[in-house]
Amino acid sequence: MKLVTAVIKPHKWEDVREALETFGVTGMTVSEVSGYGRQKGHTEVYRGAEYDIALVPKIRIEIVVDNDDADDVVGIIVKTAQTGRIGDGKVWVSPVETVVRVRTGDRDEAAL
Amino acid sequence: MKLVTAVIKPHKWEDVREALETFGVTGMTVSEVSGYGRQKGHTEVYRGAEYDIALVPKIRIEIVVDNDDADDVVGIIVKTAQTGRIGDGKVWVSPVETVVRVRTGDRDEAAL
Amino acid sequence: MKLVTAVIKPHKWEDVREALETFGVTGMTVSEVSGYGRQKGHTEVYRGAEYDIALVPKIRIEIVVDNDDADDVVGIIVKTAQTGRIGDGKVWVSPVETVVRVRTGDRDEAAL
Amino acid sequence: MDTGDTAWVLTSAALVLLMTPGLALFYGGMVRSKSVLNMMMMSFSSLALIGVIWVLYGYSLSFGNDLGGGLLGDPTDFWGLKGLMSPDALVFTVPSLAFVAFQSVFAIITVALISGAIADRARFGPWLLFSWIWATIVYFPVCHWVFDFNGSTGTDFVGGWIANNLKAIDFAGGTAVHINAGAAGLALALVLGKRKGFGKEAMRPHNLTLVMIGAGLLWFGWFGFNAGSALGANTLAAVTWMNTLSATAAAALGWLLLEKIRDGKPTSLGAASGIVAGLVAITPSCSSVSPIGALIIGFLAGIFCALAVGLKYKFGYDDSLDVVGVHLIGGIWGTLSVGLLATASAPAAVDGLFYGGGVDQLWRQAVGAGAVLAFSFIVTLVIGFAIEKSIGFRISEEEEVEGIDGVEHAESAYDFTGSGGGSGFASGHLAAATAPTQEGVNA
Amino acid sequence: MDTGDTAWVLTSAALVLLMTPGLALFYGGMVRSKSVLNMMMMSFSSLALIGVIWVLYGYSLSFGNDLGGGLLGDPTDFWGLKGLMSPDALVFTVPSLAFVAFQSVFAIITVALISGAIADRARFGPWLLFSWIWATIVYFPVCHWVFDFNGSTGTDFVGGWIANNLKAIDFAGGTAVHINAGAAGLALALVLGKRKGFGKEAMRPHNLTLVMIGAGLLWFGWFGFNAGSALGANTLAAVTWMNTLSATAAAALGWLLLEKIRDGKPTSLGAASGIVAGLVAITPSCSSVSPIGALIIGFLAGIFCALAVGLKYKFGYDDSLDVVGVHLIGGIWGTLSVGLLATASAPAAVDGLFYGGGVDQLWRQAVGAGAVLAFSFIVTLVIGFAIEKSIGFRISEEEEVEGIDGVEHAESAYDFTGSGGGSGFASGHLAAATAPTQEGVNA
Amino acid sequence: MDTGDTAWVLTSAALVLLMTPGLALFYGGMVRSKSVLNMMMMSFSSLALIGVIWVLYGYSLSFGNDLGGGLLGDPTDFWGLKGLMSPDALVFTVPSLAFVAFQSVFAIITVALISGAIADRARFGPWLLFSWIWATIVYFPVCHWVFDFNGSTGTDFVGGWIANNLKAIDFAGGTAVHINAGAAGLALALVLGKRKGFGKEAMRPHNLTLVMIGAGLLWFGWFGFNAGSALGANTLAAVTWMNTLSATAAAALGWLLLEKIRDGKPTSLGAASGIVAGLVAITPSCSSVSPIGALIIGFLAGIFCALAVGLKYKFGYDDSLDVVGVHLIGGIWGTLSVGLLATASAPAAVDGLFYGGGVDQLWRQAVGAGAVLAFSFIVTLVIGFAIEKSIGFRISEEEEVEGIDGVEHAESAYDFTGSGGGSGFASGHLAAATAPTQEGVNA
Ligand SMILES: Nc1ncnc2c1ncn2[C@@H]1O[C@H](COP(=O)(O)OP(=O)(O)O)[C@@H](O)[C@H]1O
Ligand SMILES: Nc1ncnc2c1ncn2[C@@H]1O[C@H](COP(=O)(O)OP(=O)(O)O)[C@@H](O)[C@H]1O
Ligand SMILES: Nc1ncnc2c1ncn2[C@@H]1O[C@H](COP(=O)(O)OP(=O)(O)O)[C@@H](O)[C@H]1O
């Protein structure tokens, strides 16, 4: 099993979700995070005092997948989330030893 | 060392925390996330326009544990968080190479 | 590639970011999480009813790095985030098989 | 007709109207974020429903000529407010409809007050049904007893028994509003039972800034409530205004002091609660005590109510937002305080026990308070059980866990994600627009 | 001069002023969290800009002696409000400046109302320019037509054509305010086009508690709007006050009922929207119908507007916050309702169709409504396109995605992290303070 | 007694009361989310504490017969407001207690204004102590100087020196309220020192919608503040009302324009700040200038204050929410502007420098402003240091990092998790209920 973690631009979330669903990914876990990188934040002004907001809102997606699917899933995310502009995000893959479905206690492939 | 990541229903958090404490887990890191899966979201209505809220609130727990404890911890979480209804969540285990306690610089077993 | 995950005290975030930047880390992903551990939460009182707030706000940082940099990055975080008081947090390192930059499709070292 | 008096009564009526949205905020901020809309809707629906039935028959039941025994007004007198648009229709020195307006908002807020006792768990339809029945068979009669004075619209006009026969002094509604709503709240809390997790889980206020806004608006509006009850812009109005300030300020201090001593810290929820406690207690007594008397009444109201909000844990009833602790206890104390602290130098010109007046006024106050308490509690129990047993009053335990806002209103209060518009993390997507336009959406 | 009347008009003016911040909240809560500040700023800027031009020439254009045909007031009459501080300057029984004040806040809110149609996408500078031009060439003239009565300041004073020649009854502004703003909103929504994602993505209200606060403040202020339009504290004011309550309560019920039937659940947004719909509909008619008539007008307003808000999906214009559905439709219905439900027993002393008055008043109402609708729609289209084609009115698609608050105001509305102060998760850091003090920061 | 005047004064008093909760929101929205409750509590505690001492002796110190030299009222005259409930007790044409009420809320808000200078770091108990002492030895005397007019309650009544001897014009409190609070704020900011991270870390407003609600309520209430100071419903009240609108609208424009030019974007915080700046500046001058004069005063107030808020970075004092920049600078400008722009055609009937009146009025204004500034600044420094050195005024650095809401009030403002009730992510659990009921919880 692999864990695919993707950090993408928030407005791409809906597209990515659809593309993954079409591919057959049935579940994922999503959170709102802040990104720090080449894409710089923005500036806000309050009573003449300027604030640099260093962080950029991003969406973080975690998907546990079969070993075989990992590459495809990464490919789909990269393709769908790409805008070509700085800040599109990263996707990384890490090993998972086991996964369990809480409802049934099923393990690994059966748990997805 | 292993990292146990669990995504569970929010109202089970308190029970899971207690069960893990009883078992001897002294620390964990928790966050509010959104889940996407078999359990569907709900519908909201604003001025006659219906919105499908696709995501379901979940709690994500991360626990770094000794290799030996990983299975027990997974077992406890699965048992405690189970309601038998769709959406109970997933638990997965991945390898951790080292863990450090920031306060002391202690490593691995000593860091937990 | 390695994934360094650090859970630290929120007011140390700015220092850690600066130290990492100086070292040459160009990107990371950050989120607000709740910690549970030796550091206890606090008590709030509403109309005479006391509430124990078990969780403590923490910042969680994820950095994908080259194998060679992992130890340095861990060291920098531990050094910078240390206050010596309970609750300083944990840092752990786990293996990453591949990482992709969404914008370009670059992989691994090139993706950072 | 006096234009100055009319200006003040119209202003006061608007001020009192604002109290119900104020209450919605005060209550709404105290519940969890998954129930705030339902909480607010119980107040807003009172504005809607009671507003309508007040026009149709409520005013007439309350302020029609007495049907006998000072128990109820004649519903045929002013059905649909008939005849009251005439320039000749006056109540004391103001146009009748100004008085109708002023009293309408009293009926509305009294019903809304009850809802604090049953936060997070009452189905909305049954709540509406309850409101309707309760206003009709509890509030309108009690309003007649307390607020309908002989001679108000002409020399042969006959009003209610508490005002005219018992001669209890309840200037702006310690009995009719606060004891009435408080007793009803207690009864409903018993009927509906405890929330899942009551006494164990954290049910702390989700947004204390809303509570503070609400408390501020309530205080503001309450000047209309109390000083407006003078039905004119005169010394009586000025006295009641100033007593309303004095008691409220002292009550907030009292509550904070008690918290400091008992819990170690004075809280903002305590300040907001103390404000409301003081306002409740001075409501019946503002015309009959001096500003110093008002300070005493208020300060003790703050102490008493701060102690009383703990009773629910002791006795195990889930009066969620302390309608009993604040309105029932505060209302009883305020009503009795007239018997103790009234001074003949105040506009009501009566001496209470501590001013040498003996117990004459005190027993009148006690009888008035007791009568309203008992009547309201018993009738509310009956209405509540009838609804619970017939159509069901409470949402299911699972729905409670899910949150009543979604269950009863298909809404959630907040969405702070940067969602939609091609940006942000869309927490959802538009599925369909209002039925007739379904095509449009997919176009 | 009558002090009671003056007290009421000054109070009413303050109440109406509060409506614009109230509207800012009502609208602000309905947009996404990335646009709430811009939404509120469109209302607040109206307070600023229209307040200033009203003093400079707006009042004079609106209420100066008629220049001919009842079309426009003489701008030289009261330029800079000259001459109006004199104790002799009266409008009916109140000081002229009290009337100036009362009318100023009408102009302000009418402009602010329009902004709901163009949420999330209008550049702020062009919006200011639009407001300025629109107030000058649309609102001030229409205000003159509808609100400027012959003889108000002296026997030979001549006012506007709708009030005096057509004799349509528009007591507090169904045409001048609501149809006017609603038609302009429709025109601007067409000019600016749809938001990215309109009809597909979730653009649900980000903070319904703000919407409820806003609705509460609007209702409160609206008593000044309607009953203040009596320009005195008298029976007329009392009647309009009470009709305002009746219609609004009934409209909220109507909207909730429709939702229950059509969508399955009554919502808090529905209650808030019903309140506004009822207030809009009773605005023109509150002086001419009975409280029962008001109940009917309000209830139907709730139904009509709840149905009308779906039209934008059908026809595909992005009237973001339903200015058309609520203000245009509600305003038309309210204006026509006078022709149907007016009763001679009400202060306006006219019988409508259903009270045996035939169609005489109805056609007057229809002509008034139609004239204002057409004038406002056409002129607004022209102004809007002129701005769009010259300096550009709309932000870019990318900016829309990013959020207009940051783009146009360099701010974001909320920061709930425990940031800064050596604590919390600093979402940013101070880069520079106001120019002249740059050194200080680095010191 | 005049009922119209009384209606207006009572209404105004309620409006001014609302300003303090309004201020609590305005200030509360500007701090970080970990300090909003403490910020609001500094205002609410002023309502409580100053309300009580006003009744006990504050009114008498302020408005008792002069003890000599126009410096202080006789505290024995109206101790506990004695004797003022009588129908014969009048101030001009209104009941004495109406005037007492109106002035009470001035004292309350003046104290509350100061708190903006010391956001996030003042212990609550010492703040209460400070408020008490400051009101007693600074505000009540200054109030006597400025607002207590010879002859107000009878021909031989003697008031304060600024009003009667110096004859500076401070209609509604440019000196007594704004310079007074602003100077005290500066002194306290110096006593308490800078917040950890001041000038480096992000301390941006956590909730700008609260700031906007607050600004709206302040503006609304300020009509009572200014026009209510006419103590009657008359031409003077109408003039001051309209000037209050004019100046405020112009000030918001001025502030936004400066921001646009200097920072590139006009902000919502700028609009809200401009509103307050305009209100401050027109407070002393609203009775003596024309609406055009008011536009000028307001516009320049917007510019001046927008520039002045940067001074704290330059000079390195942490006036957290710009009490100096807005209230001190705005108050000085407004007070001096009377000497420049007063016109004899306005009710105060004085010509300023630009209207040919020479410098006669200008020096009076300058002396009044300077006297209050110096007195307030020096005495506040002394009180502040005395408290800091004895019981300590400031929380520790660690507590500052943790957040003052938890430290001083054991509360946190927001909990948006779907917590408790068997549902949601319980961020905590009930540990114990109020002491006497401990058993109940475990039952
Ligand atoms: N080394 C890293 N580890 C974890 N997350 C990263 C890393 N580098 C970048 N990110 C995430 O990816 C996002 C995009 O990175 P950025 O450098 O801005 O643009 P790009 O990926 O297009 O070069 C960042 O906002 C951050 O959330
Ligand atoms: N492949 C996956 N990777 C990561 N998280 C998942 C995955 N599948 C499901 N989840 C998480 O588990 C939750 C429950 O999954 P769901 O399919 O709804 O029910 P069940 O686990 O009972 O079959 C989801 O809401 C999501 O947060
Ligand atoms: N086993 C663990 N797995 C994951 N996170 C942990 C674990 N133990 C502690 N943490 C995180 O580290 C934080 C600090 O731990 P704590 O025990 O309070 O102090 P310390 O690390 O100084 O001993 C916790 O709040 C939690 O977020």
Side-chain angles (χ1 to χ4, degrees), chain F residues 62-321:
Chain F
S62 305
F63 292 99
N65 220 322
D66 190 58
L67 285 172
L71 291 174
L72 201 64
D74 186 339
T76 63
D77 272 12
F78 308 116
W79 178 268
L81 304 181
K82 77 176 146 62
L84 298 178
M85 288 197 289
S86 149
D88 303 330
L90 294 184
V91 173
F92 300 111
T93 61
V94 304
S96 281
L97 283 179
F99 180 73
V100 172
F102 184 65
Q103 284 290 343
S104 70
V105 284
F106 275 61
I108 287 167
I109 195 166
T110 306
V111 172
L113 282 172
I114 302 170
S115 65
I118 54 169
D120 305 341
R121 61 196 188 282
R123 285 174 55 217
F124 187 63
W127 163 256
L128 287 182
L129 182 63
F130 171 81
S131 307
W132 187 343
I133 300 173
W134 192 87
T136 305
I137 69 180
V138 180
Y139 183 77
F140 298 150
V142 172
C143 173
H144 178 72
W145 304 353
V146 175
F147 290 142
D148 198 13
F149 285 88
N150 291 346
S152 62
T153 58
T155 44
D156 52 355
F157 181 86
V158 178
W161 72 274
I162 291 185
N164 303 290
N165 309 351
L166 179 63
K167 293 191 196 303
I169 294 176
D170 182 3
F171 188 67
T175 61
V177 176
H178 297 288
I179 293 178
N180 204 355
L186 177 57
L188 274 200
L190 294 175
V191 170
L192 287 187
K194 296 182 231 182
R195 284 168 296 175
K196 185 161 158 52
F198 172 74
K200 286 205 305 283
E201 285 177 43
M203 299 186 180
R204 61 187 178 133
H206 87 284
N207 190 340
L208 283 167
T209 66
L210 289 189
V211 175
M212 304 291 267
I213 303 177
L217 292 178
L218 282 170
W219 196 345
F220 175 59
W222 222 295
F223 289 111
F225 205 88
N226 286 357
S229 291
L231 296 181
N234 45 38
T235 300
L236 173 57
V239 171
T240 52
W241 199 111
M242 199 54 215
N243 279 343
T244 301
L245 182 81
S246 308
T248 308
L253 277 192
W255 193 301
L256 292 177
L257 190 74
L258 188 104
E259 284 190 331
K260 174 75 191 168
I261 292 168
R262 184 186 61 190
D263 310 322
K265 316 255 179 177
T267 68
S268 67
L269 183 59
S273 308
I275 285 169
V276 175
L279 289 164
V280 168
I282 201 64
T283 293
S285 54
C286 55
S287 67
S288 52
V289 302
S290 71
I292 294 289
L295 288 180
I296 296 168
I297 291 171
F299 187 78
L300 290 176
I303 304 282
F304 293 162
C305 294
L307 291 171
V309 293
L311 293 177
K312 64 182 176 189
Y313 296 111
K314 191 169 186 71
F315 293 108
Y317 58 90
D318 183 2
D319 170 22
S320 321
L321 310 182

Side-chain angles (χ1 to χ4, degrees), chain D residues 108-143:
Chain D
I108 286 167
I109 196 168
T110 306
V111 172
L113 283 171
I114 303 171
S115 64
I118 54 169
D120 305 340
R121 61 196 189 283
R123 285 173 56 217
F124 187 63
W127 162 256
L128 287 182
L129 181 63
F130 170 82
S131 308
W132 187 343
I133 300 174
W134 192 85
T136 304
I137 70 180
V138 180
Y139 183 77
F140 298 150
V142 171
C143 173

Side-chain angles (χ1 to χ4, degrees), chain E residues 20-58:
Chain E
T20 299
L23 183 75
L25 293 168
F26 182 71
Y27 277 176
M30 266 190 268
V31 298
R32 288 159 293 166
S33 60
K34 65 180 177 176
S35 335
V36 51
L37 297 178
N38 174 258
M39 196 70 241
M40 296 184 80
M41 279 297 276
M42 290 200 273
S43 288
F44 274 78
S45 66
S46 179
L47 281 160
L49 181 64
I50 310 303
V52 169
I53 64 176
W54 180 257
V55 171
L56 291 176
Y57 61 84

Side-chain angles (χ1 to χ4, degrees), chain A residues 11-107:
Chain A
H11 74 276
K12 283 292 177 181
W13 148 248
E14 193 69 21
D15 296 342
V16 169
R17 187 188 60 72
E18 272 177 32
L20 288 172
E21 210 175 359
T22 311
F23 173 74
V25 170
T26 55
M28 44 197 152
T29 298
V30 187
S31 50
E32 295 189 73
V33 298
S34 301
Y36 181 83
R38 280 180 194 75
Q39 182 194 9
K40 293 303 162 209
H42 61 286
T43 298
E44 301 191 350
V45 184
Y46 298 97
R47 285 190 170 166
E50 274 182 29
Y51 295 94
D52 280 346
I53 308 296
L55 300 171
V56 184
K58 299 281 168 199
I59 291 298
R60 182 180 184 279
I61 309 175
E62 285 173 300
I63 318 171
V64 180
V65 292
D66 273 5
N67 290 342
D68 308 344
D69 289 342
D71 275 356
D72 290 346
V73 165
V74 170
I76 288 169
I77 295 174
V78 170
K79 208 179 92 200
T80 326
Q82 205 169 61
T83 69
R85 260 170 294 177
I86 283 182
D88 276 354
K90 311 275 182 236
V91 183
W92 61 86
V93 180
S94 36
V96 164
E97 298 177 355
T98 185
V99 51
V100 189
R101 182 198 310 279
V102 174
R103 172 163 49 97
T104 55
D106 292 345
R107 294 212 157 223

